[in-house]
Amino acid sequence: MKIVYCINSIRYWGGIQKVTIVKANALADISSNDVYIVVTDNKKGILTEPLSPKVHLIDLEINYFHDDWKGRLYTLKGIFSKYRKHKRKLTEILNIIQPDIVISTGLSEKFILPKIKGKWVLIRELHSNKNYRIDHSKNFYDKVKAFITNMYDYGYIIKKYDQIVLLTKEDKNRFWGNTPKLSVIPNPSTFTTNKISKLTNKRVISIGRLCPSKNYQSLISAFYNVAKKHPEWSLHIYGDGEDRIKLAKLITNLKLEKNVFLEGPTLFVENELANATLFAFSSISEGFGLTIVEAMTCGLPVISYACPSGPKDIITDCKDGFLVDINDEITLTNRINLLIENESLRKEMQNAALEKAKLFSIENIIPMWTNLFIKLINEKKERVSCYNCYCTDL
């Protein structure tokens, strides 16, 4: 099979980028596959994961992000002027490759691909829950824009895809119901490792962008009460983003400089997870929660807000982790304290977490994708065959 992933960049720190590389690498290891990643912006940054030499990387050099720093008007101008260039160059490259499968990762290509005619199967991956635009709206303008975009995307564009792939059953049941052409395939863990936590270091860890949806101010506020009871324990948050200054001020105001640390991004996720004892997850909205799976892969019990959508698909409450109502900081504090104070419970949850993580291994996830590809290709061939027979009869 010829498989093409379309994404903005793989040189950007994010879950979509990581899992796209991991899946492309694994699919390329199957001898019958020819795998491509087509990007629009690949000049800056470093690879979040090593890219297999078996994967063909094609940069269309659209450079959507080139003028973003200049302000909203430059961003809008860039989008409108570069959209046509993107469509033209993407059309050209797809007609050269003639793929069997084309996958939109849900970034700038998602509105373009349905407008390009081809014989390939067109798949749309949704890496956020259906309501993410509303969830992430900061003001009235954002909400109006989110509503209009949702109407255009979910009411029109997405219907032109041959298949929609969601990450969680929760997202499907909550937002999509009996919508046709739906599949649920979770993200794979981005690594396998023998680096398993010994659960002895007095460290709680969290990993994610420092942005409103990750809700780190709630986690830090909860940890204030953890630190009062267990001053020898510390919280380490890895990631960067627009909330960094605000969170740093909160840490100072709560006098947590010796207990809470904003560590910045790390390329050594496995090492940091293995050196911690607990993983905390405070998001108010997610598409999946890849870092939860990564934490479980290193044997960490997870304490997570039960946000839509993701944690409830991954965590079995009170078995391999704890689920807590969003912003219930008292319960979040109590759950962290419970695991700090109960070594046998930590070990029990670690064993369950390691078993749960196996469900999300790349070896389990890739067959789901391969079976879906084969099914969709065969269905498309049958439709074309039936159409040709109908035309012949006429």
Side-chain angles (χ1 to χ4, degrees):
M1 282 183 288
K2 287 186 178 181
I3 303 162
V4 175
Y5 282 96
C6 297
I7 189 170
N8 283 111
S9 176
I10 55 173
R11 293 184 176 273
Y12 178 79
W13 191 263
I16 299 176
Q17 290 73 23
K18 290 174 71 175
V19 297
T20 298
I21 294 173
V22 168
K23 288 186 293 187
N25 287 348
L27 287 166
D29 277 338
I30 301 171
S31 59
S32 58
N33 289 340
D34 200 11
V35 181
Y36 298 77
I37 296 179
V38 178
V39 301
T40 61
D41 298 69
N42 221 45
K43 297 297 183 188
K44 297 180 180 179
I46 57 176
L47 287 172
T48 56
E49 292 289 326
L51 184 66
S52 168
K54 298 177 184 177
V55 178
H56 310 283
L57 180 62
I58 299 173
D59 188 356
L60 300 180
E61 299 185 351
I62 308 301
N63 300 319
Y64 277 111
F65 309 138
H66 182 72
D67 294 325
D68 278 7
W69 62 276
K70 295 180 180 179
R72 182 175 289 170
L73 288 177
Y74 279 92
T75 301
L76 290 173
K77 179 183 177 183
I79 290 172
F80 286 114
S81 64
K82 292 170 183 176
Y83 176 92
R84 290 189 297 273
K85 180 182 178 183
H86 187 182
K87 182 181 178 183
R88 175 177 57 79
K89 297 188 80 169
L90 186 54
T91 301
E92 289 173 357
I93 202 65
L94 290 179
N95 284 329
I96 292 170
I97 296 172
Q98 286 299 313
D100 301 293
I101 300 286
V102 177
I103 303 169
S104 165
T105 59
L107 299 176
S108 61
E109 79 291 331
K110 63 181 175 286
F111 296 134
I112 294 175
L113 283 170
K115 299 175 183 178
I116 300 174
K117 293 182 179 180
K119 296 180 180 179
W120 46 80
V121 171
L122 190 57
I123 297 175
R124 169 84 172 270
E125 292 182 357
L126 290 186
H127 286 271
S128 299
N129 70 65
K130 191 178 183 181
N131 209 44
Y132 81 98
R133 293 186 180 101
I134 302 295
D135 290 341
H136 292 186
S137 296
K138 299 177 183 177
N139 50 49
F140 180 73
Y141 169 80
D142 287 346
K143 289 181 179 179
V144 170
K145 184 174 71 172
F147 178 78
I148 294 171
T149 307
N150 279 354
M151 290 280 289
Y152 178 62
D153 190 1
Y154 302 137
Y156 175 65
I157 285 291
I158 209 165
K159 294 178 181 179
K160 296 181 178 295
Y161 282 84
D162 295 302
Q163 193 77 3
I164 306 162
V165 178
L166 311 177
L167 293 175
T168 67
K169 294 176 182 176
E170 180 188 1
D171 189 27
K172 180 181 184 298
N173 294 336
R174 184 177 183 186
F175 294 116
W176 296 90
N178 295 321
T179 302
K181 303 188 297 184
L182 275 182
S183 299
V184 176
I185 302 179
N187 275 335
S189 178
T190 57
F191 58 79
T192 57
T193 185
N194 57 6
K195 297 178 181 178
I196 306 302
S197 172
K198 295 180 180 179
L199 303 183
T200 55
N201 291 336
K202 296 177 180 181
R203 293 166 64 97
V204 180
I205 187 174
S206 191
I207 301 173
R209 287 192 65 237
L210 307 185
C211 62
S213 67
K214 299 299 182 183
N215 197 25
Y216 280 125
Q217 72 277 4
S218 181
L219 175 58
I220 293 169
S221 297
F223 204 81
Y224 170 78
N225 292 310
V226 174
K228 283 200 299 185
K229 192 173 183 180
H230 300 284
E232 72 279 13
W233 279 72
S234 57
L235 169 64
H236 300 259
I237 301 172
Y238 289 87
D240 209 348
E242 64 265 36
D243 279 1
R244 185 178 184 88
I245 294 175
K246 181 173 74 173
L247 295 175
K249 287 181 179 177
L250 177 61
I251 292 168
T252 300
N253 291 340
L254 294 177
K255 295 181 170 55
L256 287 172
E257 295 94 334
K258 294 182 180 180
N259 296 94
V260 179
F261 303 92
L262 303 179
E263 302 283 10
T266 178
L267 290 174
F268 307 103
V269 173
E270 297 169 59
N271 291 342
E272 303 303 343
L273 289 170
N275 286 330
T277 294
L278 303 175
F279 187 86
F281 195 80
S282 54
S283 290
I284 58 174
S285 176
E286 280 290 337
F288 180 66
L290 179 63
T291 53
I292 295 176
V293 173
E294 293 176 336
M296 287 180 165
T297 301
C298 291
L300 295 187
V302 178
I303 308 99
S304 172
Y305 281 153
C307 68
S309 302
K312 285 180 276 190
D313 267 46
I314 304 170
I315 298 169
T316 302
D317 191 30
C318 298
K319 184 176 181 181
D320 45 44
F322 287 119
L323 291 169
V324 178
D325 290 340
I326 295 174
N327 289 332
D328 183 353
E329 294 173 9
I330 294 174
T331 302
L332 182 63
T333 299
N334 291 339
R335 293 297 192 232
I336 294 173
N337 283 337
L338 175 61
L339 286 169
I340 286 175
E341 296 160 5
N342 194 325
E343 184 179 353
S344 62
L345 179 60
R346 291 203 303 268
K347 189 63 181 176
E348 183 181 324
M349 282 193 164
Q350 178 181 66
N351 292 334
L354 288 169
E355 285 301 309
K356 179 63 70 64
K358 292 177 183 177
L359 299 177
F360 301 96
S361 68
I362 192 69
E363 291 80 11
N364 282 334
I365 300 302
I366 286 300
M368 297 182 189
W369 279 104
T370 299
N371 291 338
L372 178 63
F373 293 160
I374 293 171
K375 173 178 173 288
L376 294 175
I377 289 170
N378 288 337
E379 287 177 353
K380 191 137 195 171
K381 286 179 180 177
E382 288 177 9
R383 287 197 300 271
V384 171
S385 177
C386 290
Y387 176 79
N388 289 339
C389 289
Y390 176 73
C391 290
T392 302
D393 291 340
L394 289 177

